[in-house]
Amino acid sequence: MAVVLGPNRYGKAETRVVRVTRDGGAHRLKDVSVSVSLSGAMDEVHLTGDNAAVLPTDSQKNTVFAFARRHGIDAIEDFALLLARHFTASQPAVAHARVEISEYGWRRITGGHSFVRDGGEVRTALVHHDADGTESVVSGLTDLVVLNSTGSEFHGFARDEYTTLEPTDDRVLATAVTARWRHRATDAAWDDSYAAARDALLTAFAETHSLSLQQTLFQMGRSVLDGQDGLCEIRLSLPNKHHFLVDLEPFGLDNDNEVYFAADRPYGLIEGTVLTDDARDAPSAWN
């Protein structure tokens, strides 16, 4: 019985690219994940290891970044068509290109460069109640994804023999906020309180010119507490969702803070508590 090669394809999956279009002070943001898969006259690479027909998946990734810079990203359907047509036209061995794109929506918070991810955050609540009537309420949210495309710096940090990070006075700052805030009483207008706390978090993130994510954390926490007398403590966890500029010089393209690689991991994790002077009791409320 003969053994033969069946249908096959290969490509680069989930290239995450963030494209910032800077129209003066009002920026536009496109955040997409692009998966490319190519098929065609690829038998020899499987049967003999001859790579002559194989465009490296790394080249496919670089094409996504270069096209994001050269052509921009408007409708993801158009960008997918542009890529698919390029791969079939430029590679004689490629008979079929499959391009799948997922888009992560963002809405402008305020001003020109602060954004919040559309949907996704989860509202949370933690209640303790003892038989003697003692109660506590901690409200919160997770996965509130926000991004500033400018207005963030990071420099003057400690260095050692393993430090390679370069200081910057203009970077993308993005995080997925997890916040929990403790109420003084158990009879608050919960929906109104939640909406006000969420708005305070977003406003502080957008309006803080950040020298560090730690500084931003404190300003966000203080904004929530300043806005509601019924709250006494907030705990925040802010993963630093790193965005790295892509080096496009090998393709003859510049990159003036426009095309970024959105790294998944590892990431910095910044955590902290902001509280009023009288809120140093009742640690059990958080457990």
Side-chain angles (χ1 to χ4, degrees), residues 22 38 50 56 59-60 82 91 126 146 161 166 188 193 251 282:
R22 299 168 181 267
L38 308 179
D50 183 349
S59 301
Q60 297 172 35
L82 188 68
Q91 299 298 313
L126 172 64
V146 291
E161 64 269 30
E166 293 296 328
S193 175
F251 321 121

Side-chain angles (χ1 to χ4, degrees), residues 162-174:
Y162 302 111
T163 300
T164 60
L165 183 68
E166 293 296 328
T168 180
D169 58 7
D170 187 12
R171 66 172 180 170
V172 168
L173 182 67

Side-chain angles (χ1 to χ4, degrees), residues 256-273:
D256 186 16
N257 292 326
E258 292 180 304
V259 178
Y260 297 85
F261 168 61
D264 176 61
R265 60 195 65 179
Y267 53 86
L269 181 59
I270 312 302
E271 298 178 295
T273 302

